[in-house]
Amino acid sequence: ARSRQLYIIERMEENGYITAEQAKAAKAEPLALRTSGDKRTLHAEYVAETVRQMVFAQYGQDTYTRGLNVYTTIQSSEQMAAYKALRQGIMDFERRQIYRGPEKFVDLPDDPKKMEDAIDDALEDHPDNGDVMSAVVLEATPRKVVVVRQNGEQITITGEGLKPAQSGLSDKAPPAKQVRKGAIIRISQVPKAGWEITQLPEVEGAFVAVTPQSGAIRALVGGFDFAKNKFNHVTQAWRQPGSSFKPFIYSAALEKGFSPATVINDAPLFFDAGVTGGQPWEPKNYDGTFEGPMTLRKGLAKSKNMISIRVLQSVGAQNAQDWIAQFGFDAEKHPPYLTMALGAGSVTPMQMAAGYSVFANGGYRVNPYLVTKVTDQMGKVLSEFTPPPLDESARAIDARNAFVMTSLLQEVTRSGTAARAQATLKRPDIYGKTGTTNDSMDAWFAGYQPTLTAVTWIGYDTPRKLGDRETGGGLSLPVWISYMQHALQNVPIAEPTPPAGLSHESGDWTYTEFSKGGGVSSLGMESRSNNSSEQLPANDEKKKILDLFKN
């Protein structure tokens, strides 16, 4: 950069653009270099690409020649908090994985100069990925590894920093997985252990946060690293939501006379081959246990599958399919079968953010948006977007429904599968739901504070098991909490007030017209078997969706 600076100044002087005195002064000016570690660097690559596509669709080639300025809804500090939180969550998961071995091996000559060149060439082909840095091993034993970085810095890794790669340091490790001299590996700095050996993750993730009153997107991270994978998981990844979808089924149930105090039997269900049109189906709870009668509130907090299935049976799968469309979901991606109760359909993280925003804002449908205005190089406004007001034309569900669902989702973050949320953030106005699909292939947390909705997803691009013990509460919830700790720093606690038309009896809420025994007081107390075929899949659909969800 310094060489180029001097060359340009000299050419300007030679061609008469500046005087000799100006050239001398310019050459004396120090260069302010911006490095990849500069804290001012905003990681919004997925946002930038999304905006580029949107603007190009409207302005064509003028996008690149007209000098357009595009203003977005992104909050820079929240964007950085989201970026760091998602990467940290994925790297925490990576530490629990089996070490896959070095990325490549290079021969290191004895001649120092040739060795230096070989190291530079090798690391040039394996650039740093943010804080996941590349290095070449100079020395390796089970107790100590010495590596060198591209700048010539040597780093010694010992103790806890070796644990993630312990299998690769064993004498019995296969040659392709052994950490030895000439191996190209990844290292990162951790607060307590100093430097540690790590590896680039194979798993992916997504994070999006929106203002529920307007749909303005405040933070969007479409994956672990844009340079590594440009697929935007927030908008393009259609994944099964698992239990994070249950609140929309429960919302439909409130309109049919259910209340948080409705007692439902968490008991086994069995559907024989005559009902399913194929193999018998005996769904299970995540932990494999059944706890008998419990309230709907407790059933959602503990994410009981039997409770959700019984609720959907009573509501009617077709009614539920119609209901979820009001939140912005594609009805055809959620077939009207009982498996809908377990989140067997397909959603994007952006859809989930829009859906949960309906609960957060009191029942209104909002469409997430990213661009507020576009101006030309002179500042003239070419286009501008103002979100429509939240009036009755935007209403998706009754305000009572949104309030009661918020109360139920508060229980999830207070005593249920996401209790860590309130315990860590130390505020009651936190609402949400975990989701873990069958064999832990997708891990979700979707939740909100009344002024902010956020959704986290983690999984493999080609779906496969994350691990037997990996759940939405263990994987995605910590990412969500980390972001919220930053975003809610100066936001006052705001719990919604109950709207008209609700009664409070027996310690919980119910619609006034369903009070005093007028609603559904209990469900599923009769027998273990069920012979209704109305909401079960036909034989040609069976294979697609009978691989059901644990949580």
Side-chain angles (χ1 to χ4, degrees):
R2 175 64 174 161
S3 174
R4 192 68 182 164
Q5 177 197 32
L6 297 176
Y7 173 76
I8 295 297
I9 292 170
E10 288 166 2
R11 293 289 293 141
M12 292 177 73
E13 182 185 356
E14 289 170 9
N15 286 281
Y17 288 102
I18 57 175
T19 66
E21 291 75 17
Q22 288 175 315
K24 184 179 179 181
K27 289 178 180 179
E29 289 184 20
L31 277 180
L33 296 177
R34 192 180 221 177
T35 67
S36 60
D38 195 317
K39 293 181 180 179
R40 295 173 297 174
T41 301
L42 178 64
H43 286 282
E45 296 88 351
Y46 289 97
V47 174
E49 174 57 14
T50 301
V51 169
R52 186 197 66 78
Q53 293 176 15
M54 294 169 64
V55 176
F56 185 80
Q58 184 170 355
Y59 296 99
Q61 289 299 325
D62 283 355
T63 300
Y64 309 120
T65 59
R66 197 171 170 183
L68 300 177
N69 298 304
V70 184
Y71 296 81
T72 75
T73 55
I74 295 294
Q75 304 295 307
S76 60
S77 66
E78 292 185 22
Q79 176 68 22
M80 281 307 298
Y83 171 82
K84 291 176 180 177
L86 182 62
R87 282 182 67 95
Q88 184 64 51
I90 289 176
M91 291 310 297
D92 286 345
F93 168 78
E94 197 58 48
R95 286 189 188 93
R96 300 191 289 273
Q97 307 312 301
I98 295 173
Y99 187 62
R100 295 185 291 274
E103 295 179 14
K104 194 177 178 181
F105 296 91
V106 293
D107 292 326
L108 298 181
D110 293 331
D111 181 273
K113 177 58 180 171
K114 290 182 179 179
M115 179 187 289
E116 184 180 327
D117 291 342
I119 290 169
D120 285 346
D121 290 344
L123 296 181
E124 191 73 34
D125 294 333
H126 296 264
D128 292 347
N129 188 297
D131 52 1
V132 184
M133 304 172 189
S134 56
V136 175
V137 176
L138 298 179
E139 175 190 340
T141 70
R143 294 189 176 184
K144 183 178 77 171
V145 172
V146 180
V147 300
V148 62
R149 297 264 297 127
Q150 196 165 28
N151 57 8
E153 176 190 10
Q154 289 193 17
I155 297 168
T156 299
I157 305 169
T158 58
E160 292 292 315
L162 299 176
K163 276 192 174 181
Q166 202 65 55
S167 60
L169 292 169
S170 169
D171 293 336
K172 298 179 181 179
K177 295 186 178 181
Q178 192 174 58
V179 178
R180 61 180 189 272
K181 184 177 180 180
I184 300 174
I185 65 171
R186 296 282 167 169
I187 61 173
S188 63
Q189 273 189 302
V190 288
K192 293 181 180 178
W195 289 95
E196 74 171 9
I197 297 176
T198 186
Q199 55 192 345
L200 280 175
E202 294 180 343
V203 76
E204 272 294 355
F207 184 92
V208 61
V210 304
T211 300
Q213 288 72 28
S214 65
I217 299 170
R218 294 162 62 161
L220 186 154
V221 187
F224 179 77
D225 182 73
F226 183 75
K228 176 172 169 274
N229 187 349
K230 293 176 174 56
F231 185 79
N232 189 337
H233 297 83
V234 169
T235 57
Q236 296 177 290
W238 290 91
R239 306 294 295 214
Q240 293 174 318
S243 294
S244 62
F245 199 73
K246 287 177 181 176
F248 304 105
I249 305 300
Y250 282 55
S251 170
L254 296 180
E255 302 299 311
K256 300 294 183 181
F258 283 77
S259 78
T262 299
V263 176
I264 306 171
N265 196 8
D266 177 34
L269 283 166
F270 178 78
F271 302 89
D272 61 34
V275 173
T276 65
Q279 296 177 352
W281 176 38
E282 189 169 11
K284 304 289 185 184
N285 283 322
Y286 176 71
D287 58 6
T289 65
F290 304 97
E291 298 185 38
M294 65 176 64
T295 63
L296 184 142
R297 176 180 290 277
K298 186 176 180 182
L300 182 61
K302 301 189 77 169
S303 202
K304 290 291 187 177
N305 288 341
M306 301 305 106
I307 303 289
S308 297
I309 293 170
R310 283 192 163 92
V311 167
L312 182 56
Q313 271 188 302
S314 180
V315 169
Q318 188 60 60
N319 290 332
Q321 186 191 45
D322 294 340
W323 184 257
I324 65 164
Q326 297 173 200
F327 293 86
F329 296 108
D330 296 345
E332 66 273 13
K333 291 189 180 291
H334 300 271
Y337 305 132
L338 290 182
T339 47
M340 190 197 303
L342 308 182
S346 295
V347 300
T348 66
M350 186 70 86
Q351 281 188 332
M352 291 293 278
Y356 271 78
S357 289
V358 175
F359 296 139
N361 65 27
Y364 299 96
R365 170 89 176 271
V366 294
N367 294 312
Y369 71 100
L370 187 58
V371 175
T372 57
K373 69 177 178 178
V374 179
T375 70
D376 64 15
Q377 71 272 28
M378 302 304 292
K380 179 185 176 183
V381 176
L382 302 177
S383 64
E384 193 164 10
F385 176 76
T386 302
L390 295 185
D391 55 26
E392 289 309 302
S393 67
R395 183 164 289 286
I397 61 175
D398 193 282
R400 299 181 302 174
N401 191 299
F403 176 85
V404 176
M405 285 308 306
T406 291
S407 173
L408 288 170
L409 292 171
Q410 185 182 46
E411 194 67 47
V412 178
T413 64
R414 180 167 53 205
S415 66
T417 57
R420 182 176 175 180
Q422 286 196 38
T424 305
L425 294 170
K426 301 189 186 307
R427 51 189 302 156
D429 56 341
I430 297 295
Y431 319 93
K433 183 71 185 74
T434 54
T436 312
T437 61
N438 187 55
D439 284 335
S440 298
M441 290 190 183
D442 297 88
W444 292 83
F445 186 77
Y448 57 93
Q449 190 270 349
T451 64
L452 181 61
T453 304
V455 173
T456 308
W457 165 84
I458 292 176
Y460 290 101
D461 276 340
T462 301
R464 59 186 171 96
K465 291 178 67 169
L466 290 164
D468 291 336
R469 296 184 180 181
E470 303 294 352
T471 64
L475 265 180
S476 292
L477 178 58
V479 175
W480 191 90
I481 290 173
S482 177
Y483 167 81
M484 284 293 188
Q485 282 178 319
H486 172 85
L488 298 179
Q489 271 182 346
N490 300 311
V491 178
I493 291 174
E495 295 187 80
T497 55
L502 286 175
S503 298
H504 198 264
E505 55 183 47
S506 302
D508 222 323
W509 298 101
T510 186
Y511 287 11
T512 300
E513 62 266 32
F514 298 137
S515 63
K516 298 179 181 178
V520 180
S521 60
S522 64
L523 184 68
M525 304 299 181
E526 59 290 339
S527 66
R528 181 174 186 270
S529 180
N530 185 289
N531 296 312
S532 170
S533 61
E534 174 194 359
Q535 298 147 351
L536 285 168
N539 195 43
D540 60 342
E541 295 284 343
K542 172 178 61 63
K543 291 182 180 179
K544 297 179 183 177
I545 57 179
L546 281 186
D547 189 15
L548 293 172
F549 293 80
K550 292 179 180 177
N551 177 23

